[in-house]
Amino acid sequence: MSRVFNFSAGPACMPESVLKEIQSEMLEYGTSGMSVMEMSHRSKDFEDILHTTENTLRDIMAIPDNYKVLFVQGGASQQFAAVPMNLMKNKTADYINTGVWTKKAIKEAGMYGNVNVIASSEDETFTYIPDLDDLKISDDADYVYICQNNTIYGTRYPKLPDTKGKVLVSDVSSMFVSEPLDVNKYGVIYAGVQKNAGPAGLVTVIVRENLITDDVLPGTPTTLKWKTQADNDSMYNTPNTWGIYTCGKVFKWIKDMGGLEVMKAKNEKKAALLYDYLDNSKLFKGTVRKDSRSLMNVPFVTGNDELDKAFIAECSEKGIKNIKGHRTVGGMRASIYNAMPYEGVQALVDEMERFEKSHC
């Protein structure tokens, strides 16, 4: 077996030890006589898996008791609609626009009420996080919405905005379980798990209990009501059983590694290796302002499209896969999630050095 260094932005690389453990249980989970993929979600075995997964996540994230953890389907993009449907009591919300995913969320929320864009970095192609000091929060805003780490553009909030008492909603998909978060500062946190925690098709939604009510917008589908999911322990209908099982394995792997403080330190070390090279390279340049750099997604360019293509091709031949930038921005992007080993980032930097020497 020959494993590559997979820098994909998602679905992304997973811990090899977790994959091997899953492999060993593929035909039979425990003494159940069947795979998790074949198992009834109403069975005692799966109920144990679900509760263990939730409790491990609560442990590593220090999620307070007054927050519900929901495991839902539909991808993070479905929450673009679920958020306003569940929270827009005054039909007004404030959004900070930092890229493709917030633009999509803004468009979706605009179907249900007034959306005020209170800050944006679109003027410089989303290469920075806008000034968060003294934001003009709307008096009647039901919530303030951010995408805390922007996968495509490689930006990350250096601090949280002062929402002046309004509910903070954050899409943390590409930084989920990569570093500690103070859950108490948020009303809602949600994440597609396919970056750092599991396979595509599952979303984790962490919601403060006082925000889970029957008072939702008329026409809200039953499955998009957070109360439906909360009241039924994420099993109103058949959940993504395989995704929940896999996430449970990854959450335990994080716990066994030492938790989110340790994970953050490992991620900072990997990011520093790559950013230090980019800051000193004569050929490759990072595209994000230093005070807004992501620990998870690192976009970079040579400034020449043909050189970019040549570098991507040569990396692929060396087993350094999926570094092509998002189709909307081009260039290259290295997604260095939790499961990417330091050795993988070193291999990328070594290839960048070799390529630079042959082209400069």
Side-chain angles (χ1 to χ4, degrees), residues 65-125:
D65 290 342
N66 65 323
Y67 283 75
K68 290 287 189 181
V69 176
L70 314 176
F71 297 108
V72 300
Q73 301 180 46
S77 295
Q78 191 174 79
Q79 294 303 308
F80 296 166
V83 167
M85 284 178 167
N86 283 273
L87 295 183
M88 265 194 176
K89 319 300 183 187
N90 297 320
K91 297 290 189 74
T92 299
D94 290 349
Y95 279 64
I96 299 175
N97 183 20
T98 51
V100 165
W101 305 117
T102 45
K103 288 182 75 172
K104 290 186 175 184
I106 288 164
K107 181 179 179 181
E108 194 78 15
M111 298 169 62
Y112 305 103
N114 271 333
V115 175
N116 302 310
V117 178
I118 57 173
S120 175
S121 53
E122 191 165 11
D123 61 328
E124 293 186 23
T125 322

Side-chain angles (χ1 to χ4, degrees), residues 45-305:
D45 282 325
F46 184 73
E47 285 184 3
D48 289 345
I49 289 170
L50 175 65
H51 294 144
T52 299
T53 298
E54 177 180 339
N55 290 335
T56 309
L57 179 61
R58 284 185 175 276
D59 187 9
I60 62 174
M61 286 189 68
I63 298 173
D65 290 342
N66 65 323
Y67 283 75
K68 290 287 189 181
V69 176
L70 314 176
F71 297 108
V72 300
Q73 301 180 46
S77 295
Q78 191 174 79
Q79 294 303 308
F80 296 166
V83 167
M85 284 178 167
N86 283 273
L87 295 183
M88 265 194 176
K89 319 300 183 187
N90 297 320
K91 297 290 189 74
T92 299
D94 290 349
Y95 279 64
I96 299 175
N97 183 20
T98 51
V100 165
W101 305 117
T102 45
K103 288 182 75 172
K104 290 186 175 184
I106 288 164
K107 181 179 179 181
E108 194 78 15
M111 298 169 62
Y112 305 103
N114 271 333
V115 175
N116 302 310
V117 178
I118 57 173
S120 175
S121 53
E122 191 165 11
D123 61 328
E124 293 186 23
T125 322
F126 302 116
T127 54
Y128 70 100
I129 297 297
D131 186 2
L132 302 174
D133 293 328
D134 198 28
L135 292 168
K136 293 182 179 178
I137 307 293
S138 305
D139 291 338
D140 58 347
D142 291 300
Y143 59 89
V144 177
Y145 181 103
I146 64 173
C147 181
Q148 202 162 331
N149 187 90
N150 295 280
T151 321
I152 293 174
Y153 299 97
T155 59
R156 168 181 173 268
Y157 276 67
K159 64 179 181 179
L160 293 178
D162 179 1
T163 63
K164 301 177 181 177
K166 302 296 184 181
V167 172
L168 177 62
V169 177
S170 183
D171 175 355
V172 301
S173 293
S174 53
M175 62 180 291
F176 184 50
V177 294
S178 67
E179 61 179 88
L181 296 177
D182 184 351
V183 177
N184 284 298
K185 292 183 177 179
Y186 305 80
V188 182
I189 299 170
Y190 74 85
V193 304
Q194 70 274 13
K195 319 286 189 178
N196 266 318
L202 180 68
V203 179
T204 301
V205 185
I206 302 166
V207 193
R208 199 168 62 229
E209 286 182 346
N210 69 326
L211 300 175
I212 300 174
T213 71
D214 283 318
D215 183 18
V216 298
L217 294 186
T220 298
T222 300
T223 55
L224 292 191
K225 295 176 183 177
W226 292 332
K227 193 171 191 306
T228 300
Q229 301 296 344
D231 287 350
N232 291 277
D233 290 331
S234 301
M235 292 202 293
Y236 173 78
N237 60 331
T238 308
N240 183 336
T241 54
W242 183 255
I244 292 168
Y245 159 78
T246 305
C247 284
K249 297 288 189 186
V250 175
F251 297 155
K252 184 179 184 298
W253 173 77
I254 291 170
K255 183 177 180 178
D256 292 345
M257 292 282 284
L260 293 183
E261 289 286 357
V262 171
M263 199 57 60
K264 181 184 180 184
K266 289 179 177 293
N267 289 329
E268 287 176 333
K269 184 179 179 182
K270 291 184 293 185
L273 174 63
L274 185 48
Y275 284 126
D276 286 350
Y277 176 78
L278 289 171
D279 288 343
N280 293 285
S281 173
K282 295 178 181 178
L283 179 62
F284 296 96
K285 300 298 175 187
T287 59
V288 176
R289 206 166 71 184
K290 287 186 179 182
D291 63 359
S292 300
R293 285 173 166 174
S294 169
L295 294 179
M296 297 285 97
N297 312 102
V298 184
F300 57 97
V301 296
T302 64
N304 180 299
D305 289 345

Side-chain angles (χ1 to χ4, degrees), residues 316-327:
S316 184
E317 290 173 3
K318 302 282 182 65
I320 299 170
K321 299 288 187 176
N322 296 315
I323 63 162
K324 184 178 180 180
H326 192 271
R327 61 186 179 277

